[in-house]
Amino acid sequence: MIRWSPGIARQGLVECHRESSGLMSQDDGGQVLPDDFFASLVEKVEDVIWAVGYPHLQLEYLNPAAVTLFGRPVQEFKDDPHLWLTIVHPDDREEVAASHECLLQQGKTERRYRILRPEGDVVWIHDRAWLMRGADTEPLRLFGIARDVTREMAEQQRLSSTLMLHRRFMESAPDPIFLVRVQPDDTFVFRYNNPAHRLQTGIPLEALRNQTPDTLLDASQAAAVKAHYLECVRLSRPVQYEERLDLPAGVRDWQTMLVPVEDAAGKVIELAAIARDITPLKEAERKSRGAFESLDQLLQASPVVIYECQPTPELIPIYISSSVERLTGYARSELLGRPAWQALLHPDDAPVIMDKVKAMLAGEGPIQLNYRLRHQDGHYLQVQSEKRLICDEEGHPVKVVGAILDITLSLRLSQRLEKLAEQLPGFIYQYQLSPEGKGCFPYASPASLAIYGVTPDELAHSDEAAFSTIHLDDQAKVKAAIEASAETLTHWHCEYRVIPPKGHQLWVEGSATPERLEDGSVMWHGYISDVSERKRLQLELEESEARFRRLATVDMLTGAPNRRHFMHCLEAELTRVKRHEVDACLVMFDADHFKRINDTYGHAAGDDMLKALVSTGREQLRTPDVLGRLGGEEFAILLPDTSLEGAVTLAERFRQAVAVMQVASDDASIRMTISLGVAALSAKDTSDSAMERADKALYAAKTSGRDRVCRESDSTGEATIG
């Protein structure tokens, strides 16, 4: 054992005090604590305390907590000065080594990194280190404190994953979702709205964030909204209601659900809301309105502008849906009956567009157009439009009908996605397989280098470099999945391992949609992502589920099989008795005057007595015997291949062992006795009848004075003292 110098203890802890604690030292004007206080302190703390001499970095001290944290004897670190860095996770060693220079330069450092235990477990530690100088200010030693933060890191990762899942859910939800912060004075401030809410309400996040109902809505609507919010806060439970709001996207009927979010003290601090556009339903309820007005209201919520025009090159509108104002900034009254459309076209697009309109009017069929349309404020929108000439039965033009859709955002997103593909951690690709079985990647994003260790240029000519990195045990599976997808043109999905040339093993997940090309080859459009962390969590979850399945059969206090599992074992044994006509017995027992033990010594002492009772019982039983806890202080023992006489003998031996058993509780030594009832199982038994007979024998033991064994009579069925 490396001895701890009290001088090092005092000086090291004083340095720690100056950094982060409240310990007193002589320099701080407090009372000097004795040396043995520091020695005792560092030997008992759960954190690892270490000291290394400088400049030879020879370990001077490592407290016993290191054995628990690192899984190695302290002497191993003394014998090998480089062992500490050796057990650091390979991915963290360079950073940990670099922190040593920081420690020498700045006099202190703080770091988090992983270590590897001998059995292969990975442990996260938080290490704080300081440089101690001598009287001549020259470096004297390095010392520090390390603690296990594995659970903290796992919780951070779980929380981060959960928050990301929540964010993804809200971002991808088809229904509008928004969050409202509840202020201390019971006022409300909007904090967030998801893309569906922004799209369906016309309120961008920037315009909604930090606004109140009064700033976003008119007075009457704001008052109604705040009343619903106050009701949800007051009731502290979900509230559902319907409302009609006039928002930038138009007047809509909404069905809204408010869910209160409480803090640790139970105070509502936020409202999470999900809304659904029920305008079509509400419109159906308002039957008194005319068909045209109803249609107009429905179109008002649509992002598509629907219109009818005169069948002339000027395309003078005779009807425009009210959503035109949202699209162009012009009220439809400013456009109806006026030849305004041509004037709104971008000058560079107008000639081509007008040529296509003339061709349509000449009877060459519907046209689809993509062009730029000027907004009222001067900027241009990228729109997609379809126009169709409607003729009467004699072929005379009647009108032109069409629709305009703003695709500005879609176009921008498409352009951004192209750039984003270069930054995504996953691998976006096209994979082509010829009829001869030769494969290549006509397109691969730069992330192919991170997944396969192969550049997009290399993959464009052949898939061999990519397939060579797939784990040998998984190559056949991947190829079989590709062949099956190519044959049936069904979606391809596969999880497998890859080992890049200069990296460690990864778990990846691939997903792609196939299509057959004219030359007979198959082209997949897909995405491959690194799912190593998810796979690790999945494997850990599977292990946890196995442990939980075991816990479901075990009594948590005593470790004995619980009632459910014991009854399952009894049913199985009764089946064996009926099928093979073998001997078996059931023993039921409970603790005598157990309530007196709880009342006198407390429930904790009672729990200790039950655990000791089960432990003593196991010492008396054979491997196939089953001792289970039925509930409270009531237990049962299943004895396969045991005659009634043998069961009585075992029960008596158990009773005697319990009678001499003692359990310490504070200053007292507690003893107890048990009463037991024994019954032989027969082919006619059910689990209920067997339990009833054994319980009847137990009752006889209790009524005849306790601390004894009674068995079911062979002749009368009555319980007798064994």
Side-chain angles (χ1 to χ4, degrees):
M1 179 66 183
I2 302 173
R3 296 190 61 81
W4 175 253
S5 164
I8 294 176
R10 184 189 300 111
Q11 189 173 357
L13 288 177
V14 167
E15 292 290 337
C16 294
H17 152 72
R18 288 171 178 166
E19 290 293 333
S20 60
S21 74
L23 290 175
M24 295 297 295
S25 72
Q26 188 173 24
D27 292 339
D28 294 328
Q31 182 179 358
V32 178
L33 295 174
D35 290 341
D36 59 351
F37 169 80
F38 291 91
S40 175
L41 176 63
V42 298
E43 292 288 316
K44 292 179 180 178
V45 296
E46 296 181 355
D47 292 344
V48 174
I49 299 178
W50 56 270
V52 175
Y54 188 86
H56 300 296
L57 302 182
Q58 182 65 37
L59 184 66
E60 294 181 344
Y61 177 75
L62 193 61
N63 71 338
V67 177
T68 302
L69 182 57
F70 300 123
R72 292 173 170 81
V74 172
Q75 190 59 39
E76 288 188 17
F77 293 90
K78 178 68 175 178
D79 296 338
D80 183 4
H82 302 290
L83 178 58
W84 192 310
L85 188 59
T86 302
I87 68 173
V88 173
H89 194 282
D91 293 347
D92 297 341
R93 283 177 191 159
E94 183 176 349
E95 183 178 350
V96 172
S99 68
H100 177 74
E101 296 299 324
C102 176
L103 174 59
L104 294 178
Q105 293 174 7
Q106 300 182 10
K108 62 181 179 180
T109 188
E110 186 170 357
R111 56 215 175 173
R112 281 195 178 189
Y113 53 91
R114 294 162 290 180
I115 62 165
L116 300 174
R117 286 181 173 163
E119 63 272 19
D121 293 343
V122 177
V123 178
W124 276 95
I125 67 171
H126 186 101
D127 189 12
R128 302 181 68 191
W130 294 267
L131 172 65
M132 185 183 297
R133 299 182 183 275
D136 56 357
T137 72
E138 289 297 317
L140 181 62
R141 65 175 51 85
L142 310 176
F143 69 97
I145 301 175
R147 66 173 52 187
D148 184 347
V149 293
T150 304
R151 293 183 63 182
E152 177 184 335
M153 294 297 293
E155 181 62 19
Q156 288 180 2
Q157 293 173 356
R158 186 197 66 77
L159 180 59
S160 176
S161 177
T162 301
L163 291 175
M164 182 172 291
L165 180 62
H166 290 171
R167 173 63 66 179
R168 287 178 177 173
F169 167 75
M170 290 193 293
E171 290 291 316
S172 61
D175 288 330
I177 297 174
F178 60 95
L179 303 178
V180 184
R181 185 168 58 249
V182 181
Q183 302 289 78
D185 59 352
D186 283 339
T187 58
F188 306 95
V189 176
F190 295 105
R191 188 171 72 81
Y192 166 83
N193 64 340
N194 72 338
H197 186 277
R198 300 166 206 162
L199 176 65
Q200 296 186 40
T201 65
I203 303 176
L205 179 59
E206 296 76 13
L208 175 130
R209 183 182 287 135
N210 296 326
Q211 298 297 312
T212 68
D214 294 304
T215 58
L216 282 182
L217 304 170
D218 64 38
S220 61
Q221 292 180 4
V225 165
K226 290 188 292 184
H228 293 307
Y229 293 359
L230 285 170
E231 181 187 21
C232 185
V233 172
R234 179 179 62 82
L235 298 177
S236 191
R237 62 174 174 80
V239 172
Q240 181 172 297
Y241 57 93
E242 293 182 2
E243 59 187 341
R244 186 171 178 82
L245 298 176
D246 187 1
L247 301 175
V251 178
R252 305 297 295 162
D253 292 290
W254 301 96
Q255 184 181 71
T256 304
M257 169 74 78
L258 293 176
V259 179
V261 179
E262 300 176 345
D263 61 13
K267 180 178 177 60
V268 177
I269 60 173
E270 191 172 70
L271 302 178
I274 181 168
R276 178 161 295 172
D277 185 350
I278 59 170
T279 303
L281 176 63
K282 301 302 291 184
E283 288 295 327
E285 295 173 357
R286 294 187 277 266
K287 295 182 179 179
S288 60
R289 297 189 179 182
F292 182 83
E293 183 181 358
S294 298
L295 177 61
D296 196 47
Q297 289 294 326
L298 289 172
L299 293 176
Q300 184 179 4
S302 172
V304 179
V305 176
I306 307 297
Y307 58 89
E308 293 181 359
C309 297
Q310 296 176 3
T312 63
E314 293 78 12
L315 295 179
I316 298 174
I318 55 180
Y319 168 78
I320 310 177
S321 62
S322 58
S323 53
V324 70
E325 183 173 353
R326 187 167 64 251
L327 176 69
T328 67
Y330 292 97
R332 57 179 168 180
S333 60
E334 298 179 78
L335 303 174
L336 286 173
R338 302 180 183 181
W341 177 68
Q342 291 187 36
L344 300 180
L345 294 176
H346 191 285
D348 294 341
D349 298 340
V352 175
I353 299 301
M354 294 311 300
D355 286 345
K356 292 185 176 182
V357 168
K358 291 176 181 178
M360 174 197 67
L361 295 174
E364 293 185 12
I367 56 173
Q368 291 185 342
L369 308 171
N370 282 282
Y371 56 93
R372 287 164 287 182
L373 191 68
R374 191 180 75 245
H375 192 274
Q376 186 185 41
D377 62 12
H379 76 275
Y380 280 90
L381 307 170
Q382 187 73 36
V383 300
Q384 185 178 71
S385 176
E386 180 172 350
K387 302 181 189 299
R388 182 183 299 270
L389 178 65
I390 305 299
C391 298
D392 60 19
E393 295 179 355
E394 298 177 357
H396 301 302
V398 176
K399 59 185 176 181
V400 172
V401 297
I404 301 176
L405 176 65
D406 182 2
I407 61 170
T408 306
L409 181 59
S410 301
L411 184 63
R412 290 175 182 171
L413 289 176
S414 177
Q415 293 169 344
R416 290 175 185 174
L417 284 175
E418 291 180 3
K419 296 179 181 179
L420 184 61
E422 301 176 359
Q423 307 298 326
L424 284 175
F427 168 31
I428 299 175
Y429 69 91
Q430 288 180 316
Y431 176 69
Q432 185 172 351
L433 187 66
S434 71
E436 296 77 25
K438 294 182 179 180
C440 66
F441 292 81
Y443 170 78
S445 66
S448 65
L449 194 59
I451 298 293
Y452 288 128
V454 184
T455 66
D457 289 340
E458 294 177 88
L459 293 174
H461 299 93
S462 173
D463 62 3
E464 293 182 2
F467 271 93
S468 67
T469 66
I470 297 176
H471 195 287
L472 290 177
D473 294 341
D474 294 342
Q475 286 187 5
K477 175 180 70 174
V478 175
K479 291 181 178 179
I482 292 174
E483 291 172 358
S485 176
E487 182 177 351
T488 60
L489 291 183
T490 54
H491 188 78
W492 176 79
H493 179 268
C494 195
E495 270 189 1
Y496 53 95
R497 293 161 290 180
V498 298
I499 307 176
K502 297 182 180 180
H504 59 282
Q505 176 178 291
L506 304 174
W507 272 97
V508 300
E509 180 180 51
S511 182
T513 302
E515 64 171 324
R516 194 171 303 281
L517 305 182
E518 293 182 359
D519 63 357
S521 62
V522 178
M523 176 80 79
W524 284 266
H525 309 272
Y527 182 72
I528 296 174
S529 58
D530 181 353
V531 294
S532 302
E533 180 63 14
R534 189 192 74 191
K535 195 68 177 181
R536 181 185 67 79
L537 294 175
Q538 175 187 336
L539 296 175
E540 290 179 358
L541 179 61
E542 291 173 355
E543 293 176 2
S544 297
E545 289 176 344
R547 290 196 297 270
F548 289 148
R549 284 194 293 270
R550 178 185 174 278
L551 291 176
T553 66
V554 174
D555 174 55
M556 297 302 294
L557 174 64
T558 64
N562 57 22
R563 182 184 188 92
R564 178 181 178 184
H565 184 55
F566 183 85
M567 296 303 293
H568 175 76
C569 295
L570 177 59
E571 292 283 358
E573 186 61 23
L574 285 171
T575 300
R576 199 175 72 91
V577 169
K578 295 173 184 177
R579 183 174 299 169
H580 303 291
E581 298 182 354
V582 294
D583 290 334
C585 288
L586 176 64
V587 180
M588 292 185 65
F589 68 93
D590 65 13
D592 297 330
H593 304 298
F594 185 71
K595 183 176 183 300
R596 187 181 303 166
I597 294 176
N598 280 336
D599 294 343
T600 304
Y601 301 101
H603 288 278
D607 290 345
D608 290 340
M609 293 298 294
L610 294 179
K611 289 187 277 189
L613 177 62
V614 170
S615 178
T616 300
R618 285 173 173 164
E619 294 174 357
Q620 310 299 321
L621 299 180
R622 306 163 301 173
T623 300
D625 301 337
V626 180
L627 189 159
R629 184 183 182 190
L630 303 182
E633 68 273 23
E634 186 179 11
F635 297 83
I637 304 174
L638 183 62
L639 301 171
D641 299 313
T642 305
S643 66
L644 184 61
E645 294 299 328
V648 170
T649 300
L650 183 145
E652 178 61 25
R653 186 168 64 247
F654 179 26
R655 183 195 66 78
Q656 294 175 6
V658 172
V660 299
M661 180 182 76
Q662 298 185 49
V663 175
S665 174
D666 295 331
D667 297 332
S669 180
I670 309 174
R671 305 182 67 171
M672 71 184 302
T673 61
I674 58 173
S675 300
L676 304 95
V678 184
L681 302 182
S682 72
K684 297 180 180 180
D685 267 328
T686 65
S687 58
D688 289 340
S689 66
M691 294 284 285
E692 182 179 356
R693 290 190 290 105
D695 189 57
K696 189 174 182 181
L698 171 60
Y699 178 76
K702 302 288 275 189
T703 57
S704 59
R706 294 185 172 84
D707 189 21
R708 63 196 62 209
V709 178
C710 283
R711 68 179 178 180
E712 178 189 40
S713 172
D714 292 332
S715 58
T716 66
E718 296 296 325
T720 60
I721 300 176

